[in-house]
């Protein structure tokens, strides 16, 4: 049973590391950004509701986001643990997640805080914009998203720090180096991985 959250600014590599770490611990990586993008490209009702919000780099309303996550966490593959990427993203969502997990008699084991200097995340995002053409990677939207991160998301780390579950990880280095740092921090908490990496 390993329940993890990875937090970092856009361009920190949290999506990539989230997938790697989830694989190492044998748990699903659950990314709200990926779920919303899939809904948009699939043209579902949810997708239509969130399309404009995502393109502007704003946050989808908490009630909607928390409902999507609750549904996802109720699926069988998340019964033995999970890694959340991109949720919770503000204090309201922390409250929603706490309520949901308390109802299942569960709690987060660790929160991985992936740190990269602002310049580095901006240059990684510009590169991703060229490579993947994500519509929320324009310069203006990137600035909006980083501002929201600093104002709304960074404060959730204070809450989790008070609970003693945050591992701050330097997000500069090769993908393998960063993954090893994260895994070492989680193992130091007594969490056990299921796969060799
Ligand atoms: P990400 O890939 O995590 O950067 O998410 C892409 C976009 O999806 C964000 O800019 C938001 O518009 C939306 N989004 C993802 N996660 C959340 C969340 N927890 N709360 C609100 N909006 C979210």
């Amino acid at each position: 049973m390993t329940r993890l959250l990875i937090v970092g600014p856009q361009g920190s590599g949290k999506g990539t590391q989230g997938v790697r770490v989830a694989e190492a611990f044998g748990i699903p990586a659950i990314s709200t950004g990926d779920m919303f993008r899939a809904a948009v490209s699939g043209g579902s009702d949810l997708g239509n509701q969130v399309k404009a919000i995502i393109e502007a780099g704003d946050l989808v309303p908490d009630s909607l986001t928390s409902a999507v996550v609750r549904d996802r966490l109720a699926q069988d593959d998340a019964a033995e643990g999970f890694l959340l990427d991109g949720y919770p993203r503000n204090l309201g969502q922390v409250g929603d997640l706490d309520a949901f997990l308390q109802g299942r008699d569960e709690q987060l084991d660790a929160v991985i805080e992936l740190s990269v200097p602002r310049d580095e995340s901006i240059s990684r995002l510009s590169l991703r914009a060229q490579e993947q053409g994500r519509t929320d990677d324009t310069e203006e939207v990137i600035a909006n998203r980083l501002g929201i991160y600093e104002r709304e998301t960074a404060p959730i780390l204070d809450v989790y720090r008070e609970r003693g579950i945050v591992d701050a990880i330097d997000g500069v280095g090769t993908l393998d180096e960063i993954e090893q740092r994260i895994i070492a921090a989680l193992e130091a908490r007594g969490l056990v991985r299921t796969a060799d990496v």
Side-chain angles (χ1 to χ4, degrees):
M1 295 281 197
T2 306
R3 298 187 187 84
L4 305 174
L5 162 64
I6 188 162
V7 182
Q10 289 73 23
S12 62
K14 72 182 166 60
T16 307
Q17 291 298 334
V19 169
R20 285 175 164 237
V21 171
E23 199 170 310
F25 285 85
I27 51 179
I30 298 177
S31 156
T32 42
D34 284 351
M35 289 165 74
F36 287 140
R37 279 186 290 277
V40 171
S41 49
S44 65
D45 279 353
L46 173 67
N48 294 334
Q49 281 182 72
V50 302
K51 186 172 193 288
I53 299 173
I54 289 177
E55 283 178 356
D58 292 328
L59 291 187
V60 174
D62 291 350
S63 54
L64 185 57
T65 307
S66 292
V68 166
V69 173
R70 278 194 298 268
D71 282 354
R72 180 65 188 85
L73 290 179
Q75 290 175 23
D76 287 349
D77 66 338
E80 297 293 314
F82 51 78
L83 178 146
L84 288 170
D85 161 12
Y87 177 93
R89 215 154 170 129
N90 60 24
L91 293 171
Q93 294 178 10
V94 169
D96 290 346
L97 179 65
D98 279 345
F100 176 80
L101 292 180
Q102 271 159 24
R104 304 208 309 188
D105 221 6
E106 295 176 359
Q107 56 190 20
L108 291 175
D109 296 305
V111 176
I112 303 153
E113 175 189 7
L114 204 54
S115 314
V116 291
R118 198 187 165 101
D119 289 355
E120 171 90 14
S121 48
I122 291 177
S123 63
R124 289 186 194 177
L125 286 168
S126 313
L127 192 70
R128 186 171 77 186
Q130 288 163 18
E131 287 171 2
Q132 300 179 6
R134 260 176 62 169
T135 46
D136 59 355
D137 276 347
T138 65
E139 206 170 308
E140 195 188 342
V141 176
I142 288 171
N144 186 31
R145 294 167 81 219
L146 288 172
I148 292 176
Y149 181 82
E150 281 155 18
R151 284 193 308 277
E152 298 202 39
T153 307
I156 78 171
L157 288 165
D158 295 333
V159 174
Y160 291 128
R161 244 178 243 119
E162 271 182 28
R163 297 183 193 173
I165 57 172
V166 175
D167 287 315
I169 305 290
D170 175 4
V172 180
T174 67
L175 291 181
D176 285 342
E177 280 165 0
I178 299 163
E179 180 183 4
Q180 292 305 329
R181 282 176 204 150
I182 296 172
I183 287 175
L186 296 176
E187 286 184 332
R189 287 185 180 274
L191 299 173
V192 181
R193 67 181 161 179
T194 56
D196 280 338
V197 288

